[in-house]
Amino acid sequence: MMTADISPHDLDDASDADLRGQYDLAVAAFAVDRPDAPKPDYDTFVGRLRAIPPGVSRQWCWVARRRGRMAGIAITQLSGPENDNSVVVDVRVLPELRRQGIGTALLRRALGESPVGDRELVVGRGVTAGGDGEQWIRARGFTVVQRVALQVLTVSEADPALWEVPVPPGHRLERWTGAAPDALVESYARARGAIGDAPTGDSSYRHPHWSVPGVRQAEQDARRRGVEHRTVVVVHEASDAVVGLTELEIFPGMPGTAVQQDTAVMPGHRGRGLGRTVKAAMMRRLLAERPGIAVVVTNVDASNDHMTRVNHQLGYVTTRIMLTAEAALGALESRLGAPEGQHDLP
Ligand SMILES: CC(C)(COP(=O)(O)OP(=O)(O)OC[C@H]1O[C@@H](n2cnc3c(N)ncnc32)[C@H](O)[C@@H]1OP(=O)(O)O)[C@@H](O)C(=O)NCCC(=O)NCCS
């Protein structure tokens, strides 16, 4: 009989030894689960671990230790208002200790102790298609609801000429880092809503409803989280309104990585290359102002041929297909059984 000690873990207050243990665990796990990705450096890893994604208010963490060694980690996050029915989980176990029940014990404990309130849906994201994680989520009774392509632009390997994309006549570009200018914020909020047309497979995920207060709130959240939030928009000159936009974020502790977020073009303005125009302009500006950025990463629904093509034209390479999976919380908890402090594993 083998045991693992599972305990709550404060990521912001973790000791250097624990963070180092988490790093070693992640390096070993990523070598198996993400063979396409370069080994993360320590600081970037810690930054990424602590970074709370947009739309998430807080996160909680548990770690499993075996004979003092970091054997696994589970993180839960509560999504914002549009997705207040779900709790997002991420579980990772050291490859050599898999198939011993540690992942399941971590999931049971994390769900049992997270302040989920009346949320009913458990969501797992970023599960490598075809890997151990897919086998596990299926065995635990999750349903795969979306396939997502991870795309990576390696700056040193991309030709900057790809970002010299002209602005179509009748339009102009505007850009900012942080808060949207008052003169544009209303049409910018409207245009942000166009992301609602992006495919999300069979996922229950609901895109945010954007409004001016919502935009201001998101800007405030980014500031509070220490996130550098960069925006490029395309303005339709005749109406002086934002009709397309792209968003990019740089998280604290990850100075070499930029995360390309939403890109959206208003329905009446699609098919004119505005998406590529704003994304190309984002790259030009980003690298002029932040020459230390080595990679830009983005996620796109695997069926979204249009965005995928635009990204390839800009130098992104699809490196992995990742799955999103969902399970009803009540049914999952009864399959998992009651949470315990110490788990006797078979
Ligand atoms: C997913 C993960 C956390 C599972 O951890 P684990 O400790 O190996 O999981 P468990 O031992 O609790 O597995 C329980 C059951 O899932 C199934 N399972 C898990 N991994 C499997 C695999 N590679 N192949 C087939 N079935 C598998 C089995 O039915 C297993 O029970 P069994 O060993 O008695 O047959 C681990 O594989 C991992 O870290 N993967 C990478 C990260 C990831 O994708 N996480 C999911 C994100 S939510």
Side-chain angles (χ1 to χ4, degrees):
M1 182 157 308
M2 188 180 295
T3 56
D5 288 313
I6 296 182
S7 53
H9 193 65
D10 182 346
L11 288 174
D12 292 323
D13 206 27
S15 67
D16 287 346
D18 276 352
L19 288 173
R20 190 50 73 171
Q22 303 230 10
Y23 174 68
D24 293 342
L25 157 60
V27 168
F30 291 172
V32 173
D33 304 319
R34 308 175 180 181
D36 54 275
K39 180 177 157 181
D41 70 72
Y42 178 73
D43 291 336
T44 305
F45 168 77
V46 172
R48 192 175 281 256
L49 193 65
R50 288 178 167 157
I52 299 183
V56 169
S57 50
R58 272 191 66 189
Q59 61 180 15
W60 291 267
C61 177
W62 289 260
V63 293
R65 293 174 212 261
R66 215 172 128 229
R67 298 197 193 101
R69 183 183 180 201
M70 211 51 96
I73 178 170
I75 291 178
T76 61
Q77 297 171 334
L78 301 188
S79 324
E82 284 80 9
N83 295 286
D84 59 1
N85 192 30
S86 41
V87 50
V88 178
V89 296
D90 190 12
V91 184
R92 185 183 308 137
V93 169
L94 203 58
E96 69 208 66
L97 297 179
R98 290 181 184 173
R99 305 296 294 270
Q100 297 177 20
I102 297 175
T104 301
L106 275 165
L107 178 67
R108 183 191 295 120
R109 182 76 182 267
L111 291 178
E113 292 183 6
S114 295
V116 295
D118 53 5
R119 290 170 193 248
E120 290 171 340
L121 193 67
V122 182
V123 180
R125 296 210 184 104
V127 181
T128 303
D132 288 342
E134 177 172 2
Q135 306 292 340
W136 182 72
I137 51 170
R138 291 191 189 278
R140 299 297 77 167
F142 284 78
T143 304
V144 172
V145 293
Q146 189 181 12
R147 295 171 65 80
V148 175
L150 173 71
Q151 300 191 311
V152 178
L153 190 161
T154 305
V155 172
S156 61
E157 292 170 11
D159 178 359
L162 297 175
W163 311 321
E164 296 302 330
V165 178
V167 184
H171 298 82
R172 71 170 194 275
L173 295 176
E174 300 270 354
R175 43 178 80 80
W176 59 84
T177 299
D182 287 337
L184 291 175
V185 69
E186 214 167 292
S187 62
Y188 167 64
R190 231 180 359 258
R192 285 216 74 173
I195 194 67
D197 294 336
T200 55
D202 296 324
S203 155
S204 308
Y205 177 78
R206 272 175 263 137
H207 291 288
H209 299 291
W210 286 102
S211 61
V212 173
V215 165
R216 294 302 185 210
Q217 182 65 49
E219 292 168 352
Q220 219 175 313
D221 287 349
R223 263 200 309 279
R224 186 175 46 80
R225 294 183 292 128
V227 173
E228 180 175 317
H229 185 100
R230 309 175 72 94
T231 303
V232 176
V233 301
V234 57
V235 175
H236 180 236
E237 302 264 34
S239 53
D240 209 31
V242 173
V243 294
L245 57 92
T246 193
E247 314 282 331
L248 180 140
E249 293 190 315
I250 301 168
F251 291 96
M254 298 168 53
T257 304
V259 182
Q260 170 67 64
Q261 307 278 23
D262 287 2
T263 300
V265 174
M266 293 287 275
H269 298 265
R270 293 177 185 162
R272 293 176 200 155
L274 295 180
R276 187 157 76 100
T277 301
V278 282
K279 278 189 136 169
M282 176 66 88
M283 286 307 299
R284 294 197 301 272
R285 183 70 160 216
L286 175 70
L287 296 175
E289 293 178 357
R290 298 293 302 256
I293 296 291
V295 287
V296 186
V297 296
T298 196
N299 290 337
V300 57
D301 182 281
S303 73
N304 192 339
D305 295 337
H306 180 63
M307 196 79 267
T308 299
R309 195 167 48 247
V310 166
N311 288 343
H312 287 160
Q313 287 168 343
L314 293 170
Y316 285 85
V317 174
T318 301
T319 59
R320 195 186 318 145
I321 299 295
M322 304 179 303
L323 309 176
T324 302
E326 295 181 353
L329 176 61
L332 181 60
E333 281 190 317
S334 29
R335 282 195 298 276
L336 294 174
E340 302 155 35
Q342 170 105 2
H343 296 272
D344 289 334
L345 304 172

